[in-house]
Amino acid sequence: MGESTLRDVAELAGVSPRTVSNVVNGYARVTDATRSKVEHAIAVLGYRPNVLARNLATGRSGQIVVVVPYLDTPYFAELLQTIIPTARKAGYNVLVDQTDGDRDHEVELIGRGPRRFLFDGMIISPLGLSQEDLSLRDPTLPLVVLGERPSDGTFDHVGIDDVAAATEAVRHLISIGRRRIAAIGDQPYPTGEAAQLRTRGFRAAHTAAGLPVDESLIISTTRFNRADGATAMAALLDRADPPDAVFCYSDLVASGAIHTALQRRLRVPEDIAVIGYDDIEDGRYGRPTISTISPDKKAIAQLAVERLIMRIGSTEPVLGVELRAAHRLIPRESTLRDVP
Amino acid sequence: MGESTLRDVAELAGVSPRTVSNVVNGYARVTDATRSKVEHAIAVLGYRPNVLARNLATGRSGQIVVVVPYLDTPYFAELLQTIIPTARKAGYNVLVDQTDGDRDHEVELIGRGPRRFLFDGMIISPLGLSQEDLSLRDPTLPLVVLGERPSDGTFDHVGIDDVAAATEAVRHLISIGRRRIAAIGDQPYPTGEAAQLRTRGFRAAHTAAGLPVDESLIISTTRFNRADGATAMAALLDRADPPDAVFCYSDLVASGAIHTALQRRLRVPEDIAVIGYDDIEDGRYGRPTISTISPDKKAIAQLAVERLIMRIGSTEPVLGVELRAAHRLIPRESTLRDVP
């Protein structure tokens, strides 16, 4: 199977190779009788048409790939709800690849391997890639990066101002009278650059308010999920001097942290206030609802798709730029009890 | 761009076409100097190697596609956490396609279009496809179906016993003394076959307990998400004779329904008990935690991948079968107050 050629099919069906090609590509100008003769020959020979032969003629596959570390992170799932329809409207189908944050898998995807040509362009939210890995990628791959890695001038990066957003989150906790504020979600260099930006905002808010930072209240986690938040909160509450507020680097982390606090019969926010990051749907339905930093996900998705399509269509190299989407603080019940 | 051939690259680089092919396919037996000459020629000519030329030789692309209606449904995201590593271990990369339940998109994916040959096989959870659409698909496409559509003997279907599972969920509500039980999530024929199986279980549990079914308590929804659950619960609670328990066809629906009940200052489960379906992580962290039917997602994912890979490797047609994964009832706080 799979070894027959288009010529073999044409011969068996008694038609020209061009007619076989028309059938395979779904063009209309073929009679039903001819189509059925060709389809029969294709089935008999187990012929697999070479899809990229067509794509090479146009130079396009019509596919965009979106590469994310984890599909069970609601932030990415929600982002895809805008990326997919925006790309479809522009005539591109979207396929999604989950990397588990595995550097080798990410490196292979942006490299010059054979898989490269399945896609016209890529939107990637890398976790394992270093800036150097990115600079060594296939330079002909139209690329837009979300999340961790700032632009080096050869690709576009779309994100929010993480330092400013984190500063606002912590300033909000200070504004409701909290003084012992913990942070859950820091990640060590070189991975976790986005996390480090949030930690920088955490420090900046303390400095601006004239408060000291208790370094022992900054908790690192391997991922940004509920289990990480639950475990970190347990460690904080086991201390002799527990915090009175927590800034969590994602809403999932906040959800896990709140779960632990409530299990220990603490009141949120009275005994311990919690703020998250991402504004995922979950946080709007929880009890308490979760205060958060809301990135403009629609804008992030649209900017990413528009830039990528512009890159795909351009015959000249395009300078890589930083694109900033807006964000806003949304106070909810986990910091202000009586917010609706 | 994209019009140069492998021969052009070989000529410019001063090497044989086979050497170019070796570089493109990442084979090791190429010196660094040669590789760099070839890569330079590729960049100058804007050459795009034909990935499927290699795949046609082996008859494989090494890619599996998983087609789901919505990526922001945690059930699918959680299923993918087993599907992806299981497939990778067997040497296949997984790409994911979101259909939004759009029938035309689903029909195109299972048809004989050029995209068909990007993938060696497909795992699909269809929403819009009719049984007839499925029977008219490309018969050479190795296919495993999850969710709605039972096997017609030409593809494999993996799922749980939905009627039995729904019966158990409602029997649980009856066992804690509830008598006016509502159902949220029914969907009309022809879509929503899985939903109809759950409604059948809802009826069966009533019949077995000698209870009448109040048809007006069976609420249809367009999707299985939080907003649907919140709206449906509001309608139920607005009645003169509200229910004392609700069977929700997904945990997301249950999460939305509980949100509405709590907003109206009702106690869950004392005033109204709620049970969901799917056992997503969210339900284990909510307040109250959500009682649910837990399908064995690991088994569903593993069965689906194993059958698909067996189909891909088989040169003979494989009879399509029904594969049943286990499920179990997990009572939590939303039906039993003092469950841990």
Side-chain angles (χ1 to χ4, degrees):
Chain A
M1 294 227 336
E3 313 264 353
S4 314
T5 66
L6 186 131
R7 214 169 289 276
D8 299 333
V9 174
E11 203 166 294
L12 183 62
V15 301
S16 72
R18 170 169 297 275
T19 301
V20 175
S21 168
N22 285 343
V23 169
V24 164
N25 288 314
Y27 297 142
R29 275 176 309 167
V30 184
T31 66
D32 283 353
T34 302
R35 180 180 306 278
S36 120
K37 266 195 295 188
V38 171
E39 290 189 343
H40 178 74
I42 286 173
V44 166
L45 294 170
Y47 169 67
R48 291 165 173 250
N50 187 334
V51 50
L52 286 197
R54 188 185 76 150
N55 300 332
L56 281 171
T58 64
R60 304 279 161 74
S61 73
Q63 311 278 334
I64 286 173
V65 66
V66 179
V67 181
V68 300
Y70 306 106
L71 276 165
D72 58 351
T73 301
Y75 175 74
F76 293 119
E78 294 185 9
L79 214 51
L80 283 162
Q81 299 318 304
T82 301
I83 289 177
I84 292 173
T86 306
R88 288 233 173 99
K89 213 175 287 173
Y92 287 89
N93 190 58
V94 174
L95 290 162
V96 184
D97 192 299
Q98 165 170 311
T99 62
D100 296 323
D102 175 33
R103 173 179 171 268
D104 292 345
H105 188 81
E106 292 178 346
V107 165
E108 193 213 318
L109 281 170
I110 62 170
R112 203 192 276 282
R115 299 218 306 140
R116 154 73 180 86
F117 297 91
L118 294 173
F119 307 107
D120 296 338
M122 179 184 295
I123 296 172
I124 186 170
S125 179
L127 261 195
L129 286 184
S130 69
Q131 202 79 30
E132 197 197 350
D133 292 331
L134 265 170
S135 72
L136 291 173
R137 76 182 192 282
D138 176 355
T140 68
L141 171 66
L143 188 70
V144 173
V145 175
L146 306 177
E148 309 284 312
R149 302 277 156 221
S151 171
D152 66 354
T154 67
F155 56 84
D156 297 318
H157 178 259
V158 186
I160 64 168
D161 184 339
D162 277 303
V163 177
T167 307
E168 284 166 49
V170 176
R171 191 164 58 210
H172 172 64
L173 295 174
I174 294 170
S175 78
I176 58 168
R178 306 307 161 114
R179 291 298 174 266
R180 277 189 62 68
I181 302 172
I184 303 180
D186 190 48
Q187 291 178 341
Y189 185 84
T191 55
E193 278 188 33
Q196 290 151 33
L197 295 176
R198 291 170 207 185
T199 303
R200 209 189 298 166
F202 174 82
R203 293 182 199 284
H206 279 77
T207 306
L211 289 173
V213 169
D214 181 343
E215 296 293 331
S216 72
L217 291 179
I218 302 176
I219 312 291
S220 287
T221 59
T222 46
R223 277 188 61 179
F224 278 2
N225 62 25
R226 290 187 181 97
D228 290 320
T231 307
M233 184 62 128
L236 285 169
L237 295 179
D238 283 341
R239 294 166 57 114
D241 54 352
D244 57 12
V246 184
F247 168 42
C248 296
Y249 291 15
S250 83
D251 285 351
L252 280 189
V253 168
S255 164
I258 290 171
H259 183 72
T260 296
L262 297 177
Q263 273 191 323
R264 298 193 177 202
R265 313 253 170 231
L266 293 174
R267 293 165 305 157
V268 177
E270 292 85 346
D271 299 319
I272 186 154
V274 178
I275 188 165
Y277 208 96
D278 288 346
D279 190 20
I280 62 173
E281 186 183 90
D282 192 10
R284 299 196 283 278
Y285 282 86
R287 184 195 189 194
T289 54
I290 302 177
S291 302
T292 195
I293 293 293
S294 179
D296 187 341
K297 287 189 274 263
K298 282 218 167 108
I300 292 171
Q302 266 163 7
L303 286 170
V305 172
E306 280 164 18
R307 288 293 295 186
L308 186 66
I309 288 175
M310 188 270 287
R311 285 185 169 273
I312 292 170
S314 172
T315 52
E316 301 295 314
V318 179
L319 199 69
V321 293
E322 282 287 331
L323 296 149
R324 279 276 160 82
H327 67 268
R328 66 200 170 95
L329 170 75
I330 302 186
R332 296 203 183 103
E333 293 165 355
S334 68
T335 56
L336 300 177
R337 198 188 341 179
D338 295 321
V339 165
Chain B
M1 293 227 337
E3 313 264 351
S4 312
T5 68
L6 185 131
R7 214 169 290 276
D8 299 334
V9 174
E11 202 165 296
L12 182 62
V15 302
S16 72
R18 169 168 298 275
T19 301
V20 175
S21 168
N22 285 343
V23 170
V24 164
N25 288 313
Y27 297 142
R29 273 177 309 166
V30 183
T31 66
D32 282 353
T34 303
R35 182 180 305 278
S36 122
K37 266 194 295 187
V38 171
E39 290 188 342
H40 179 74
I42 285 173
V44 167
L45 294 170
Y47 168 66
R48 289 164 175 250
N50 187 335
V51 50
L52 286 197
R54 189 185 75 150
N55 300 331
L56 281 171
T58 64
R60 304 280 159 75
S61 74
Q63 311 278 334
I64 286 173
V65 66
V66 179
V67 181
V68 300
Y70 306 106
L71 276 165
D72 58 350
T73 301
Y75 175 74
F76 292 118
E78 293 185 10
L79 213 52
L80 283 162
Q81 299 318 305
T82 301
I83 288 177
I84 292 173
T86 306
R88 288 233 172 99
K89 213 175 289 175
Y92 287 89
N93 189 58
V94 174
L95 290 163
V96 185
D97 191 299
Q98 165 170 311
T99 63
D100 297 323
D102 175 32
R103 173 180 169 267
D104 292 345
H105 188 81
E106 291 178 347
V107 165
E108 193 213 320
L109 281 170
I110 62 170
R112 204 192 275 282
R115 298 218 308 139
R116 154 72 180 87
F117 297 91
L118 294 172
F119 307 108
D120 296 338
M122 180 184 294
I123 296 171
I124 186 170
S125 180
L127 262 194
L129 285 183
S130 68
Q131 202 77 30
E132 197 197 350
D133 292 331
L134 265 170
S135 72
L136 291 173
R137 76 183 191 283
D138 176 355
T140 68
L141 171 67
L143 188 71
V144 173
V145 175
L146 306 177
E148 309 283 312
R149 303 273 154 223
S151 170
D152 66 355
T154 67
F155 57 83
D156 297 318
H157 178 261
V158 185
I160 64 168
D161 185 338
D162 277 302
V163 176
T167 305
E168 283 166 50
V170 176
R171 192 164 56 208
H172 172 64
L173 296 174
I174 295 170
S175 79
I176 58 168
R178 306 306 160 114
R179 292 297 175 266
R180 278 189 60 69
I181 303 172
I184 303 180
D186 190 48
Q187 291 178 340
Y189 184 85
T191 55
E193 278 188 33
Q196 289 150 33
L197 295 176
R198 290 170 207 185
T199 304
R200 209 190 297 167
F202 175 81
R203 292 181 199 284
H206 280 77
T207 305
L211 289 173
V213 169
D214 180 343
E215 295 293 332
S216 72
L217 291 178
I218 302 176
I219 312 290
S220 287
T221 58
T222 46
R223 277 188 60 180
F224 278 2
N225 61 25
R226 290 187 181 96
D228 290 320
T231 307
M233 185 63 128
L236 285 169
L237 296 178
D238 283 341
R239 296 166 56 115
D241 54 353
D244 57 13
V246 184
F247 168 42
C248 296
Y249 290 16
S250 83
D251 285 350
L252 280 188
V253 168
S255 165
I258 289 171
H259 184 72
T260 296
L262 297 177
Q263 273 191 323
R264 297 193 176 202
R265 314 253 171 230
L266 293 174
R267 293 167 304 157
V268 177
E270 293 85 345
D271 300 319
I272 186 155
V274 178
I275 188 165
Y277 207 97
D278 289 344
D279 190 21
I280 62 172
E281 186 183 89
D282 191 10
R284 299 195 281 277
Y285 282 87
R287 185 193 188 197
T289 54
I290 302 177
S291 303
T292 195
I293 292 293
S294 179
D296 187 339
K297 289 190 274 268
K298 282 218 168 109
I300 292 172
Q302 266 163 7
L303 286 170
V305 172
E306 281 165 17
R307 287 293 295 186
L308 186 66
I309 288 174
M310 189 270 288
R311 285 185 168 274
I312 292 170
S314 173
T315 51
E316 301 294 313
V318 179
L319 199 68
V321 293
E322 283 287 332
L323 296 150
R324 279 276 161 83
H327 67 267
R328 64 200 171 96
L329 170 74
I330 302 185
R332 295 202 184 103
E333 293 165 355
S334 69
T335 57
L336 300 176
R337 197 187 341 178
D338 295 322
V339 165

